[in-house]
Amino acid sequence: MTSAATSPPPSPPNAARTPLVAPLIVEFPFTRSLGPVQSAFLTGLRESTVLGVRTEDGRVLVPPVEYDPDTAAELRHLVQVGATGTVTTWAWNPEPRRGQPLDTPFAWVLVRLDGADTALLHALDAPGPEAVRTGLRVRIRWAATRTGAITDIVCFEPYDGPPENAGGEHSGTFDDPVTGIVTPARLDYTYAPGRAQSRHLHALAERRIVGERCPRCRKVYVPPRGACPTCGVATTDPVEVGPRGTVTTFCIVNIKAKNLDIEVPYVYAHIALDGADLALHGRIGGIPYDEVRMGLRVEPVWTDDGRYPDHYRPTGEPDADYDAYKELL
């Protein structure tokens, strides 16, 4: 007879797993049109001219805004201010990052340009923090080629001469005005998932989809969040769901995304996996985009390395009845 006590207790799920850490990059181009004030400001930079806007109480705001931040009154009275100014506060940046104005250590400064009542944020090229101080006089260093963007100002540099280019009233009229801009937005960070998401990711590597159940409302969330978004209590009970599911809603994408090798148009959908109470987001493949529909039954197609579903394809089953997924819309 063998005693059960001689057998070691089972290890908890993922007890010996290596913690997951991954570098992540979120990047997209932000495109916006410009109103008359911002258009004049950026077109002015292209012409080596800095414009501010005058408020009803006589203050000059740089950068200019289209509405008074205190009274919400519309502002259109443009004023040319100087290319020289005074540092009002600063912080030293010893390790410049990708996309910052300079690739050598520099100071972030707020500069009140001559003729302005507010300060402009930009970079100051200085040999070290000992060369920077509040009250330091500085001058704009213009880019050799200017396009009508804040980067037309390369940076500021220390200056001990007289004020430059404070011209007073300005019509804001230029030839070929800048009417829109595209600003690249990028966020680089290191992501370390918590307990719930780590268990979910480890299961995906085994081609399983695991969520967690709320102990109070009993809903199953995939991907798990570690806490129920409805009840606010911790979710610790793992539940394997799917892998098949039902398309609840979807959209047709007609614009090709950067670095995404998928021909347009294609479809992204919310998919309610069998046994889950929250629809997840996934691409639909293996079917023409105009045949995707609510209620379509789908299954995952895994990536070549088997780490996660690349997309979902039809299973061939009859469509799900609307009543079976209407609560998940």
Side-chain angles (χ1 to χ4, degrees):
M1 180 177 179
T2 303
S3 170
T6 61
S7 301
S11 299
N14 303 329
R17 303 279 195 184
T18 302
L20 299 175
V21 177
L24 292 181
I25 298 174
V26 179
E27 184 176 19
F28 61 93
F30 177 71
T31 303
R32 62 160 292 185
S33 58
L34 301 173
V37 171
Q38 296 298 321
S39 174
F41 175 66
L42 292 179
T43 308
L45 294 184
R46 189 188 66 196
E47 307 302 324
S48 303
T49 299
V50 183
L51 297 181
V53 67
R54 191 183 303 280
T55 65
E56 292 178 338
D57 62 3
R59 294 178 301 138
V60 175
L61 310 182
V62 179
V65 293
E66 297 184 346
Y67 296 91
D68 190 310
D70 295 326
T71 67
E74 187 175 16
L75 302 177
R76 292 292 184 270
H77 191 174
L78 295 169
V79 178
Q80 182 175 346
V81 299
T84 51
T86 303
V87 172
T88 62
T89 190
W90 61 278
W92 187 251
N93 181 10
E95 297 180 4
R97 303 189 65 179
R98 176 187 180 275
Q100 292 187 337
L102 301 173
D103 57 11
T104 56
F106 65 90
W108 289 112
V109 288
L110 282 173
V111 176
R112 186 173 61 246
L113 294 171
D114 296 330
D117 293 288
T118 57
L120 173 72
L121 174 66
H122 217 295
L124 172 67
D125 188 4
E130 69 283 350
V132 189
R133 67 183 186 279
T134 298
L136 179 70
R137 291 286 293 168
V138 294
R139 173 176 61 182
I140 291 174
R141 180 188 298 167
W142 295 102
T145 302
R146 296 178 299 281
T147 60
I150 191 63
T151 49
D152 290 345
I153 300 176
V154 174
C155 62
F156 284 89
E157 57 191 16
Y159 175 70
D160 59 4
E164 291 185 358
N165 299 339
E169 307 301 317
H170 197 286
S171 67
T173 301
F174 296 94
D175 293 333
D176 190 22
V178 177
T179 58
I181 56 173
V182 178
T183 302
R186 179 182 170 111
L187 176 64
D188 296 71
Y189 64 102
T190 300
Y191 176 65
R195 170 197 55 78
Q197 291 185 333
S198 291
R199 176 154 50 194
H200 174 72
L201 293 172
H202 282 303
L204 286 180
E206 301 168 356
R207 297 199 175 192
R208 299 183 301 115
I209 303 176
V210 174
E212 288 188 345
R213 188 191 311 276
C214 173
R216 182 175 297 173
C217 68
R218 309 302 293 169
K219 289 184 177 180
V220 176
Y221 295 102
V222 181
R225 304 179 180 186
C228 175
T230 302
C231 304
V233 299
T235 56
T236 57
D237 181 18
V239 179
E240 187 165 344
V241 301
R244 295 185 170 189
T246 301
V247 171
T248 61
T249 58
F250 64 93
C251 69
I252 298 172
V253 181
N254 292 293
I255 300 175
K256 189 171 181 62
K258 182 180 179 182
N259 298 328
L260 187 63
D261 189 21
I262 300 175
E263 292 300 319
V264 296
Y266 57 90
V267 174
Y268 264 103
H270 277 125
I271 302 167
L273 297 180
D274 297 343
D277 293 290
L278 182 71
L280 55 76
H281 198 209
R283 183 170 63 89
I284 306 299
I287 184 175
Y289 74 93
D290 55 357
E291 293 183 15
V292 177
R293 56 198 178 272
M294 295 173 65
L296 180 69
R297 294 285 294 163
V298 293
E299 62 186 2
V301 176
W302 298 84
T303 56
D304 293 339
D305 57 16
R307 291 188 301 170
Y308 54 87
D310 176 73
H311 63 276
Y312 287 78
R313 66 186 176 194
T315 65
E317 301 170 277
D319 288 1
D321 185 78
Y322 176 73
D323 287 339
Y325 61 86
K326 66 181 182 180
E327 298 297 329
L328 299 177
L329 294 176

